[in-house]
């Protein structure tokens, strides 16, 4: 048995588009051969369910959500959660770098995603209407696994992640383009997959990971993984091979 894990946005699915049918068909062939397939994404549970709703014939065997902050089995049952301690969550949300520039901000719990009112004039970037809450309410939420911030540029995201990390060393900033997901240090895609193997008991002969951006780098390097043709040059340099699509990667290693 082999195990394949793919990033979602920009890898399994083009940014702003739908999952290509060729990828869905390749997943079916991969699973029919007796292998495991799953998503390894910065998305929370709600956005993953939204993405899969138009594809009832797509049945991942596992979900590594929130950059490894939440692990689910193929039926959606919780396997593991890396919750941010309440005092740390409140401290991060109180930092000016998250509030003073009025960037779009979201807080994700194990199950839900909520928009924080920062006075942002632009949307976060996902086509989903979410409950809006005040910053004071966000600080009181239970089982928070991720705080997501949209910056203007990737450079600004890197600087903001460094600022938060300096104040809270137990928090890491998983960056995809100009978006930051603040998670617990252990919540990254590399460790998320390692934890999945531990809690599932699976012992695959090989692990195939494919991703396209900075939050995928630790997993690409650790698992000697792959990237797609649309990825940035730094990802192509880190990957051991570049494929046109995820489906091509699955079929080449079937």
């Amino acid at each position: 048995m082999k195990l394949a894990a793919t990033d979602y946005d920009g890898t399994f699915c083009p940014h702003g588009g739908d999952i290509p049918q060729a990828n869905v068909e390749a997943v079916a062939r991969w699973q029919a051969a007796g292998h495991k397939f799953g998503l390894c994404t910065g998305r929370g549970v709600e956005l993953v369910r939204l993405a899969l709703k138009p594809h009832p014939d797509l049945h991942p065997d596992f979900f590594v959500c929130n950059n490894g902050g939440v692990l689910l089995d193929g039926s959606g049952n919780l396997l593991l959660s890396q919750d941010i301690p309440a005092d740390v969550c409140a401290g991060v949300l109180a930092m000016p770098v998250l509030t003073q520039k009025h960037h779009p901000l979201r807080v994700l719990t194990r199950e839900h995603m909520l928009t924080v009112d920062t006075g942002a004039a632009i949307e976060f970037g996902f086509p989903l209407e979410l409950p809006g809450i005040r910053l004071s309410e966000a600080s009181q939420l239970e089982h928070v696994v991720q705080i997501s911030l949209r910056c203007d540029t990737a450079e600004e995201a890197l600087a903001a992640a460094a600022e938060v990390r300096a104040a809270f060393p137990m928090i890491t900033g998983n960056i995809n383009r100009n978006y930051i997901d603040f998670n617990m240090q252990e919540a990254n895609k590399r460790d998320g997959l390692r934890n999945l193997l531990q809690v599932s008991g699976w012992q695959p002969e090989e692990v195939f990971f494919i991703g396209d951006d900075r939050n995928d780098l630790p997993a690409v390097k650790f698992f000697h993984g792959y990237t797609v043709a649309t990825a940035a040059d730094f990802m192509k340099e880190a990957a051991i091979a570049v494929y046109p699509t995820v489906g091509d990667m699955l079929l080449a290693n079937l």
Side-chain angles (χ1 to χ4, degrees):
M1 180 267 284
K2 302 174 183 178
L3 184 145
T6 177
D7 166 56
Y8 184 80
D9 293 289
T11 306
F12 192 56
C13 180
H15 289 293
D18 193 18
I19 301 170
Q21 184 60 27
N23 281 351
V24 176
E25 294 171 359
V27 169
R29 290 184 58 184
W30 177 266
Q31 292 173 314
H35 306 316
K36 302 292 185 183
F37 170 84
L39 300 179
C40 190
T41 174
R43 288 190 176 215
V45 175
E46 280 186 302
L47 279 181
V48 170
R49 289 174 178 160
L50 177 69
L52 296 185
K53 191 173 182 179
H55 300 278
D57 50 344
L58 181 61
H59 303 286
D61 298 295
F62 62 89
F63 302 90
V64 177
C65 299
N66 304 104
N67 301 294
V70 173
L71 307 185
L72 306 173
D73 65 16
S75 298
N77 300 309
L78 181 67
L79 299 174
L80 183 69
S81 177
Q82 303 277 2
D83 295 0
I84 301 174
D87 60 332
V88 175
C89 180
V92 172
L93 288 171
M95 294 187 67
V97 70
L98 269 73
T99 59
Q100 284 191 352
K101 293 186 177 181
H102 306 295
H103 288 325
L105 180 67
R106 288 182 173 175
V107 174
L108 292 84
T109 67
R110 294 175 182 175
E111 285 282 339
H112 302 294
M113 180 166 59
L114 304 102
T115 297
V116 181
D117 182 10
T118 61
I122 58 174
E123 296 296 325
F124 193 87
F126 292 118
L128 181 66
E129 290 189 11
L130 299 171
I133 59 173
R134 296 187 299 271
L135 195 62
S136 58
E137 294 175 305
S139 300
Q140 301 300 316
L141 292 171
E142 295 184 345
H143 304 303
V144 172
V145 295
Q146 185 167 302
I147 300 168
S148 296
L149 179 71
R150 175 179 175 173
C151 296
D152 291 327
T153 64
E155 291 73 22
E156 185 182 5
L158 285 166
E163 186 172 340
V164 172
R165 179 71 186 277
F168 297 94
M170 73 290 295
I171 295 294
T172 190
N174 289 295
I175 297 174
N176 186 340
R177 297 182 296 157
N178 58 317
Y179 293 84
I180 316 172
D181 296 328
F182 295 106
N183 305 95
M184 291 298 290
Q185 182 65 33
E186 299 83 1
N188 59 75
K189 296 185 180 185
R190 176 197 64 207
D191 292 340
L193 283 174
R194 294 170 68 187
N195 287 333
L196 173 75
L197 295 178
Q198 185 174 17
V199 299
S200 68
W202 292 334
Q203 296 182 345
E205 57 189 87
E206 291 181 88
V207 173
F208 297 84
F209 177 82
I210 184 167
D212 78 314
D213 215 326
R214 294 183 190 278
N215 59 343
D216 301 309
L217 265 178
V220 166
K221 291 179 178 179
F222 184 84
F223 292 107
H224 306 290
Y226 309 97
T227 193
V228 288
T230 53
D233 288 342
F234 70 87
M235 288 298 297
K236 294 176 181 178
E237 292 170 3
I240 65 170
V242 179
Y243 287 94
T245 68
V246 172
D248 290 311
M249 185 276 286
L250 294 175
L251 296 179
N253 294 284
L254 196 59

